[in-house]
Amino acid sequence: MKEECNMENAAIIPIQAKMELLKLRLLYLITGLAGGLFNPYLTTLFVHQGLGADIVGVLMSVGTLLSILVQPVWGLLVDRYRQTKLVLILSISIPAILSYLYSLKLFIVIVVVYIVSIVFQATQSPIADSYAVSAARKGRTSYGTIRSLGSLGTALGGYAGGFYLSGFGITELWIPFLALSLAGAATVLSLSRSTERNAAALSLSQGFKELLGNRMFVMFLVACFFVNQTLTAYNSFFVLAFQDAGGSYSLVGTALLLASLTNIPSMLLAARILRRIGHERTLLLAAFFYAMRWGIQWLFPVPAVMVGVQVLHGLSFGLFYVAAVEYVANASGKKMQATGQSIFNMVFSGLGGIVGNLLNGYLYHAGGAQVMYLACTVSALIGAGMLYWINRIAKLSPRL
């Protein structure tokens, strides 16, 4: 009888793992569609509703800072009440439900809604990534095969958003955003309890103490900061730099779509690359692609070149992000998945985003796009140098 039960469990587990993978891929696709459709047009919506561009900039910076500050609070709540799934559902659904209020032309309402949305959204990425890493290991696949669906959704969402706005007003953009987000929340609701238990199993305070006491992990975080703060040159200033170089709006759309689509093959191939050369070398390779990307735009400020160089987005950001998330998963262990991903997200997206926007904004204003791209090239090379050092240490002491 025991042998029969074991055979049944062995047959059931792969099916459950496949179902979890399917649900998570669907979740990343849907939330990618929702975010790609709504987020790129949020600043335009704010300006349309009467906020000045300077106020929008301050609001976005405050939002990024707030996202760093609230993540430990969310971690404490998750650890105390063990409600990882509920928190993920709230992080997706609350901003979507509140998005209707952006259509009201009231300054205080828009600011409050944006701040509350940031508070909830801050925890979405690290918790979703901890789910994805856990499910990928159970399903004997890679995190990249799940995360690539998010990039596909973002690319398609941004493209669909343009079509939607050609027929509807920007104040009605909340309708498809709400529908897609609620579909994503429903998908989270269907995830199994076992996946939730694996996503968070150790107190946040203990997890922070252990991870930040690991010198190699701290060095990795610093390297990630130097590399990823440069990405704001694309996220925040590419359109301005492209127009300064003589590019048109139609070509901007082509460049943005090309960049998003290149993430997909990079993330799908990441597992093979990681198996062949390891996490440290993959991170180092991606950091060099970052430096190459900025260096080419520094040397050749021509619209055609600036469009073509976007094929390096997947080899830089896409490859780096997948390798970094899996590196964090290995360094964190099974009991600190959510904590590890939260710390990484705070540095990679949060601190890197704040410093990158401030620094690159200043450099762009002071010396133009070429000074900004030169500084980004140097910063990426500094990060690459640190990753090279980490790679050397890993060769000598693989268990570090």
Side-chain angles (χ1 to χ4, degrees):
M1 289 291 292
K2 286 185 177 180
E3 291 181 3
E4 289 180 4
C5 288
N6 289 335
M7 289 178 67
E8 288 179 4
N9 289 334
I12 291 171
I13 290 173
I15 295 174
Q16 291 176 334
K18 287 179 181 179
M19 288 301 298
E20 290 297 289
L21 285 173
L22 180 62
K23 292 173 185 177
L24 282 165
R25 284 169 178 151
L26 181 61
L27 171 65
Y28 272 81
L29 177 63
I30 292 173
T31 54
L33 281 168
L37 183 142
F38 190 76
N39 293 335
Y41 303 100
L42 190 57
T43 54
T44 305
L45 173 60
F46 286 166
V47 172
H48 179 273
Q49 293 298 81
L51 276 69
D54 54 341
I55 296 175
V56 172
V58 172
L59 188 59
M60 293 292 181
S61 297
V62 170
T64 305
L65 177 61
L66 186 62
S67 69
I68 297 176
L69 298 176
V70 299
Q71 282 192 50
V73 178
W74 277 119
L76 288 170
L77 292 174
V78 168
D79 290 333
R80 182 177 179 84
Y81 299 106
R82 299 297 179 191
Q83 293 294 327
T84 313
K85 184 187 291 186
L86 176 60
V87 171
L88 184 55
I89 290 172
L90 291 175
S91 72
I92 296 171
S93 58
I94 294 298
I97 293 170
L98 292 177
S99 64
Y100 162 73
L101 297 176
Y102 286 135
S103 62
L104 303 179
K105 210 167 187 178
L106 297 170
F107 175 79
I108 188 64
V109 172
I110 292 174
V111 171
V112 171
V113 168
Y114 179 72
I115 295 299
V116 173
S117 296
I118 286 295
V119 168
F120 281 93
Q121 283 179 329
T123 192
Q124 180 180 331
S125 181
I127 290 183
D129 283 345
S130 65
Y131 268 101
V133 170
S134 174
R137 288 178 174 175
K138 281 188 174 182
R140 298 179 182 178
T141 185
S142 71
Y143 162 78
T145 63
I146 301 173
R147 180 59 178 80
S148 62
L149 270 296
S151 293
L152 176 61
T154 300
L156 295 177
Y159 198 62
F163 277 106
Y164 182 86
L165 291 176
S166 66
F168 299 90
I170 195 167
T171 55
E172 297 175 326
L173 195 58
W174 66 271
I175 298 173
F177 177 58
L178 175 62
L180 287 166
S181 296
L182 292 180
T187 306
V188 174
L189 197 61
S190 70
L191 293 173
S192 71
R193 294 289 296 180
S194 62
T195 306
E196 179 180 15
R197 285 193 295 270
N198 288 331
L202 192 71
S203 72
L204 184 82
S205 58
Q206 185 180 347
F208 264 67
K209 185 177 180 180
E210 289 189 22
L211 288 173
L212 296 181
N214 183 335
R215 293 181 181 179
M216 289 295 293
F217 187 74
V218 173
M219 179 67 73
F220 158 77
L221 291 176
V222 175
C224 286
F225 166 78
F226 274 105
V227 171
N228 198 62
Q229 72 85 14
T230 67
L231 194 63
T232 56
Y234 167 75
N235 291 336
S236 302
F237 302 104
F238 175 74
V239 175
L240 291 174
F242 191 74
Q243 287 181 305
D244 285 349
S248 64
Y249 274 116
S250 61
L251 274 179
V252 166
T254 302
L256 295 177
L257 180 63
L258 179 62
S260 295
L261 291 177
T262 58
N263 273 331
I264 300 169
S266 293
M267 289 181 172
L268 290 175
L269 292 172
R272 292 184 181 181
I273 298 171
L274 288 168
R275 281 196 301 267
R276 179 163 294 187
I277 65 176
H279 293 86
E280 292 83 4
R281 288 185 180 179
T282 303
L283 287 165
L284 178 58
L285 180 65
F288 275 118
F289 279 122
Y290 264 102
M292 185 185 301
R293 177 183 183 180
W294 310 129
I296 291 173
Q297 291 179 91
W298 166 50
L299 293 171
F300 305 102
V302 180
V305 174
M306 295 174 74
V307 171
V309 82
Q310 299 313 313
V311 298
L312 293 176
H313 183 72
L315 292 172
S316 52
F317 170 75
L319 191 59
F320 192 96
Y321 188 78
V322 171
V325 166
E326 295 206 7
Y327 180 94
V328 172
N330 288 339
S332 303
K334 292 182 180 180
K335 293 184 178 181
M336 293 187 290
Q337 285 298 304
T339 302
Q341 299 301 339
S342 292
I343 295 173
F344 167 68
N345 196 263
M346 288 164 65
V347 174
F348 189 76
S349 300
L351 189 60
I354 291 174
V355 174
N357 275 317
L358 291 174
L359 176 61
N360 289 320
Y362 170 77
L363 292 173
Y364 187 90
H365 177 75
Q370 301 319 108
V371 173
M372 177 184 71
Y373 285 134
L374 174 58
C376 287
T377 304
V378 173
S379 182
L381 288 174
I382 292 173
M386 298 179 73
L387 290 168
Y388 175 77
W389 184 78
I390 293 173
N391 182 54
R392 290 290 300 272
I393 297 289
K395 282 182 180 179
L396 295 174
S397 305
R399 292 188 179 183
L400 290 178

